[in-house]
Amino acid sequence: MTPTMYSPDGRIYQVEYAIETVKRGTLAIGIKTQNGVLVAVEEKARALQTSNITQKIFQVDRHIGVAAAGYIPDARIQVDRARLFAQSNKIAYDESVEVETVSKHLADQCHQFTQYSGVRPYGVSLIIAGVDQKGESVYVTDPSGTYVSFAAVAIGAGAEEVNDFLEKAYADNITLEEGAALAIAAVNLKSHNEDGVKHIKMAFISSDTKSLEKVSDEDLQKYSKLALEKFKNNA
């Protein structure tokens, strides 16, 4: 079965298999707030693994970050192409690329890999979050080539339950700090860990600086306490 073949009932199995790969990946979350955006992932390091290096959060440009769920090597390839695209846009137009433009570019590449024989669809979904001339944005791409804008979204294992939780707990006027707390509460919803943060990596982009910053372990602990105070009743 090649990516170009439809089944008799109108399905493309290779694309559906790729989407299933995403559903088996560890959880990733993106949240838009009134003063920035953030991405968070569940990432459990092995005993001897260097824990301060994030494997599933990437920086595309100064003002754009990506979180991935699924087959991470595919994510690295897409992020490399997004970086090249962002820098080419800067050289050509002398301005930072818009978040939606990067999202569409990556979605177009995903769609191309559903059309040609001899290749397979990317087995990864990406949350692309950033702050540009239009404000704060969070997009999700999937292996089919779809890209959709969200205020808050989860992808990966258990995403349906986490998205239900986000729908209940999210508010349009949420701050960046409250968004970080919400992301921790959402990750811990599926990990059955009410207050731990060792398994969580996070980065945010403030609307003021428009620059990706990694959230320290100390700040994660602080946001974890806020999560228990503010969102425990929504779980």
Side-chain angles (χ1 to χ4, degrees):
M1 179 69 70
T2 69
T4 59
M5 291 178 62
Y6 284 95
S7 68
D9 58 348
R11 300 159 68 187
I12 303 178
Y13 286 129
Q14 288 289 338
V15 174
E16 294 192 16
Y17 296 155
I19 292 174
E20 189 62 32
T21 299
V22 174
K23 293 179 180 179
R24 295 173 183 268
T26 51
L27 195 66
I29 293 170
I31 297 176
K32 179 172 70 172
T33 75
Q34 64 179 0
N35 57 330
V37 296
L38 65 91
V39 289
V41 295
E42 182 180 13
E43 192 170 311
K44 299 175 182 177
R46 295 180 179 178
L48 299 179
Q49 182 179 333
T50 305
S51 60
N52 62 346
I53 298 176
T54 305
Q55 302 291 330
K56 298 169 186 173
I57 294 179
F58 308 88
Q59 184 167 11
V60 169
D61 203 341
R62 185 172 183 267
H63 63 297
I64 299 176
V66 166
Y71 190 52
I72 300 305
D74 283 0
R76 292 204 309 270
I77 294 298
Q78 285 196 278
V79 168
D80 284 345
R81 291 177 173 173
R83 288 168 176 166
L84 178 60
F85 179 75
Q87 294 306 308
S88 299
N89 187 92
K90 181 73 171 178
I91 292 170
Y93 302 108
D94 194 28
E95 65 180 13
S96 297
V97 67
E98 292 182 358
V99 181
E100 182 180 5
T101 305
V102 173
S103 303
K104 181 180 182 300
H105 177 72
L106 292 178
D108 288 346
Q109 289 190 333
C110 288
H111 186 240
Q112 287 178 15
F113 275 63
T114 70
Q115 298 181 48
Y116 304 121
S117 180
V119 298
R120 61 162 176 78
Y122 285 115
V124 68
S125 280
L126 302 178
I127 297 174
I128 304 154
V131 181
D132 56 23
Q133 303 92 319
K134 295 182 178 179
E136 301 81 15
S137 300
V138 173
Y139 287 87
V140 172
T141 66
D142 74 10
S144 72
T146 301
Y147 75 102
V148 183
S149 176
F150 289 91
V153 66
I155 56 175
E160 287 187 14
E161 184 179 340
V162 175
N163 279 319
D164 288 342
F165 167 74
L166 291 173
E167 288 178 11
K168 296 175 185 176
Y170 181 82
D172 291 335
N173 62 346
I174 196 170
T175 66
L176 199 54
E177 291 75 17
E178 291 170 337
L182 177 59
I184 290 173
V187 172
N188 285 339
L189 184 72
K190 290 305 297 177
S191 66
H192 306 293
N193 189 339
E194 288 192 356
D195 55 3
V197 292
K198 290 183 178 180
H199 58 298
I200 298 174
K201 302 292 184 184
M202 187 183 298
F204 67 80
I205 303 167
S206 167
S207 301
D208 294 330
T209 64
K210 294 185 180 180
S211 181
L212 184 79
E213 297 178 40
K214 179 183 175 183
V215 178
S216 67
D217 291 340
E218 292 78 12
D219 285 340
L220 284 175
Q221 290 286 357
K222 180 180 69 174
Y223 297 141
S224 178
K225 294 177 182 178
L226 179 60
L228 286 173
E229 296 172 4
K230 194 170 181 66
F231 299 112
K232 189 172 184 178
N233 293 333
N234 295 100

